Amino acid sequence: MATVAAAALVVLPITPAHAANTISESQGKFLSGQVLGFDLDTIASIYGSFANHPNGPGPYGANNKIDAELLNALPIKLGPLLNNLNLFGNTGIIQLGAVSQYSQAEPNGDAKAAAGAAGNQGGIGINPPPAGTTGVADAHVDLGPILNAIGPVATSVLSKARIETGALASYAEQISGTVKSKYLVDGLKAQVTSPLVGNLYTGVKSGLLGGPVKDLLTGIQNLVKALKIDLLGLVSVNLDVQLPADLGQLLPTGPLTGGIDRGITVNLATGEVVIDVKKILSSNNPSIDLNDLPPNSPALSGPLVGAAITTALTQTLIGVVNSTVQHAVNTLFAQTRIIGNVSALGISLNADVSFQGILDGKPLITSNNPLLGFVLGAVGGLVSGTLKPALELLKGNLLGTVLGGLQSVIDGLTVNVVQPVVNLLDQIASIHVNVQPTTPTPNQPFTVRALQIGLGLPGVQLATVNLANSTVLGTVTPVYKPVISAAPASVPRGGTTTLSGTGFAPNDIVTLTLAAANGQPATTVSTEADASGTIEPVDLTVPADYPTGTAVITGHGSNTNIPVDPTVSITVL
């Protein structure tokens, strides 16, 4: 069972059942769910906004907010399997931002609810957070403690994992019996560190430092040393190759996209991967939107999102490995220098140019002396003519050697790296968006949840946390448009007219009123409608000193679904 510091909580019954006379009902509630059998709906401080017609609002009103400090201070613990770690807060697994909650229940049976980044009238909106604060109605889920609890079988795949969302919100309405809903997940990212990805870096580094690469570099070094140029005893050349002190430092660090931003960034050196689900979906298919997915869509797995993540991560890793090797070879050529001494016309000069400089046509050595410059240019041409083809061949051979040695790793990326990472992430944190009944049940509450997080260990469901929940229960209530008549329509002062009417609510109590005039108070009579809405005829007597002329009689039913009270005019004689 979840451990709860009971003294810190006020406990309520689970979300109230609607009363028998309910016409409409709604609840906006940001946080709900179960934690090892403990129902979060019983916590008074996160009760939410509740409205019921005709029974009135819940204890916290129709529109209220919960600050982040309250949410993150909820004393819910995850039991001994996770060393009684807090579920919420900076020292727990889930951190939440401040939220709004809204509910509206109308006399005509309509109901509206919103939660999360919700405006005062229940519309979904995102307000920029104040400077220095976290986002509004967002969530952060640290999965590191769960990975550590599972042990090496998990941490060998993911040593760290964190889920981050932007603003979350949901909205539901039931208008004239029709249910509509929408949800907002303004960004969803998984930030993970994977030893499997780190192993790719190790493989690239090993390939760069391996024997075949060293053999290639030794070969070009020997070629440079063997260059002997003697122009009639006027020029002599003695060259060598200066390699970078540490070839391993040639590898790039920091996040890389592999040349194309597919919504994935990878830092091979650290094994860190950022998976931006919203960007992955839009880059994979511009018509697919994270906020327009079918009900109950998994956000990290499944044939739509999971397949897109797997494809994007595989392609990005291949691109990152290729670009890393390309970068290393390019950096090697930029940092490896041909150095030495050139003696021309009795003058000794130092030679210094990079491998890449030779490929780019840069001179081996320069001089401001025109005659000396001409001689050195001729020498440089001879050196470049020999080395440039050799360096071009070397560059291609280096790329081919390193990448060729990694080909089996690249071919196995999907099975050996990507799928284990994606599958483990989904096993410990099952994320769904737009959670709702596939088919709403008539006359039953309908709930839409922006995001649902299922946390678990192998064989143990730790918690199901629902974020941004909107619930509505509406009814289709008839709208009545009654009419009344008076006979006779011309009545002498002190005389009587008989009032009749149809179209009222069944069995409604109807009050008929002759308006006050010239100091005369209003005159009222009451009657009752039958099952068909027809009122029992009733006589109304015009006061003896009522002013002559046109007078108006109004009918008012006790049923609230009469938008306009009917009237009839009589002439007072």
Side-chain angles (χ1 to χ4, degrees):
M1 296 291 288
T3 304
V4 182
L9 298 179
V10 176
V11 177
L12 290 172
I14 294 176
T15 305
H18 54 272
N21 65 338
T22 291
I23 293 176
S24 60
E25 183 176 275
S26 62
Q27 184 176 37
K29 183 179 179 70
F30 184 72
L31 177 60
S32 70
Q34 300 272 341
V35 183
L36 291 177
F38 179 79
D39 198 319
L40 297 178
D41 285 342
T42 64
I43 301 175
S45 58
I46 58 170
Y47 180 88
S49 172
F50 180 78
N52 178 291
H53 185 82
N55 301 301
Y60 295 96
N63 184 32
N64 62 71
K65 296 183 178 181
I66 302 179
D67 62 31
E69 288 77 10
L70 186 151
L71 287 171
N72 291 316
L74 292 172
I76 310 295
K77 297 185 181 296
L78 288 170
L81 286 174
L82 288 180
N83 298 316
N84 285 319
L85 181 72
N86 288 327
L87 176 62
F88 299 106
N90 293 331
T91 61
I93 287 182
I94 299 177
Q95 299 87 45
L96 301 171
V99 301
S100 296
Q101 301 169 127
Y102 172 86
S103 60
Q104 180 179 345
E106 297 289 354
N108 65 356
D110 293 345
K112 299 178 182 179
N120 288 338
Q121 300 303 316
I124 290 179
I126 308 172
N127 298 318
T133 65
T134 58
V136 175
D138 56 358
H140 307 270
V141 185
D142 182 6
L143 300 171
I146 295 178
L147 293 168
N148 293 334
I150 298 173
V153 69
T155 55
S156 62
V157 177
L158 292 174
S159 58
K160 296 180 182 178
R162 178 178 173 88
I163 307 294
E164 293 189 354
T165 79
L168 302 171
S170 70
Y171 171 80
E173 68 178 25
Q174 191 166 13
I175 307 295
S176 299
T178 300
V179 172
K180 293 182 180 180
S181 67
K182 56 183 177 178
Y183 70 98
L184 171 73
V185 179
D186 187 42
L188 176 63
K189 293 182 180 180
Q191 299 180 348
V192 304
T193 299
S194 172
L196 299 180
V197 174
N199 290 342
L200 294 176
Y201 181 83
T202 303
V204 172
K205 191 171 184 179
S206 297
L208 192 62
L209 300 177
V213 169
K214 290 181 178 179
D215 291 343
L216 288 171
L217 293 176
T218 299
I220 197 71
Q221 192 170 26
N222 292 335
L223 175 64
V224 171
K225 286 182 177 182
L227 280 174
K228 300 296 181 184
I229 298 175
D230 189 347
L231 296 178
L232 303 176
L234 299 176
V235 177
S236 65
V237 176
N238 187 17
L239 301 176
D240 199 353
V241 173
Q242 185 182 64
L243 293 168
D246 184 358
L247 295 183
Q249 296 300 314
L250 302 177
L251 296 175
T253 59
L256 302 171
T257 63
I260 300 175
D261 189 355
R262 302 177 178 87
I264 303 277
T265 58
V266 176
N267 187 331
L268 278 186
T270 62
E272 296 174 358
V273 179
V274 178
I275 301 169
D276 187 331
V277 176
K278 187 173 184 178
K279 186 176 288 186
I280 288 172
L281 291 176
S282 61
S283 63
N284 185 61
N285 186 338
S287 65
I288 299 177
D289 189 337
L290 178 61
N291 291 303
D292 193 27
L293 294 178
N296 311 305
S297 290
L300 295 176
S301 61
L304 179 61
V305 181
I309 291 175
T310 298
T311 299
L313 183 52
T314 301
Q315 292 175 344
T316 299
L317 285 173
I318 292 173
V320 166
V321 169
N322 285 325
S323 64
T324 296
V325 173
Q326 182 73 60
H327 178 277
V329 172
N330 288 343
T331 306
L332 173 65
F333 267 57
Q335 293 185 7
T336 301
R337 311 199 69 78
I338 297 175
I339 58 174
N341 176 268
V342 175
S343 177
L345 303 179
I347 300 174
S348 181
L349 299 171
N350 292 325
D352 188 354
V353 66
S354 69
F355 276 7
Q356 190 60 45
I358 293 292
L359 294 180
D360 293 340
K362 292 184 179 179
L364 178 69
I365 194 167
T366 59
S367 173
N368 293 326
N369 184 310
L371 179 59
L372 194 58
F374 173 78
V375 173
L376 293 175
V379 172
L382 291 172
V383 172
S384 296
T386 301
L387 291 183
K388 186 173 182 179
L391 290 175
E392 289 174 340
L393 181 62
L394 172 66
K395 199 168 195 179
N397 287 340
L398 286 173
L399 289 171
T401 298
V402 178
L403 289 175
L406 293 170
Q407 193 58 52
S408 62
V409 175
I410 292 173
D411 292 341
L413 276 177
T414 299
V415 174
N416 299 323
V417 178
V418 175
Q419 288 179 350
V421 167
V422 173
N423 291 343
L424 178 59
L425 192 59
D426 183 58
Q427 287 170 14
I428 61 175
S430 178
I431 310 291
H432 288 75
V433 300
N434 192 22
V435 178
Q436 58 172 280
T438 304
T439 304
T441 304
N443 302 318
Q444 293 296 319
F446 169 87
T447 300
V448 59
R449 314 181 196 279
L451 193 74
Q452 184 178 78
I453 305 170
L455 302 175
L457 297 169
V460 179
Q461 182 68 21
L462 294 171
T464 299
V465 178
N466 302 311
L467 300 177
N469 308 271
S470 297
T471 301
V472 291
L473 171 63
T475 57
V476 180
T477 304
V479 176
Y480 299 102
K481 297 180 180 180
V483 294
I484 57 175
S485 60
S490 298
V491 186
R493 292 193 291 182
T496 298
T497 184
T498 300
L499 302 175
S500 303
T502 59
F504 287 92
N507 307 311
D508 201 3
I509 301 299
V510 180
T511 300
L512 300 154
T513 302
L514 175 65
N518 290 354
Q520 289 293 318
T523 301
T524 63
V525 293
S526 295
T527 184
E528 184 175 353
D530 61 17
S532 68
T534 300
I535 62 173
E536 184 74 21
V538 61
D539 291 339
L540 183 146
T541 299
V542 177
D545 47 1
Y546 197 88
T548 59
T550 300
V552 176
I553 299 172
T554 301
H556 179 74
S558 60
N559 188 286
T560 55
N561 293 310
I562 300 176
V564 179
D565 287 336
T567 61
V568 63
S569 296
I570 62 171
T571 301
V572 179
L573 304 174

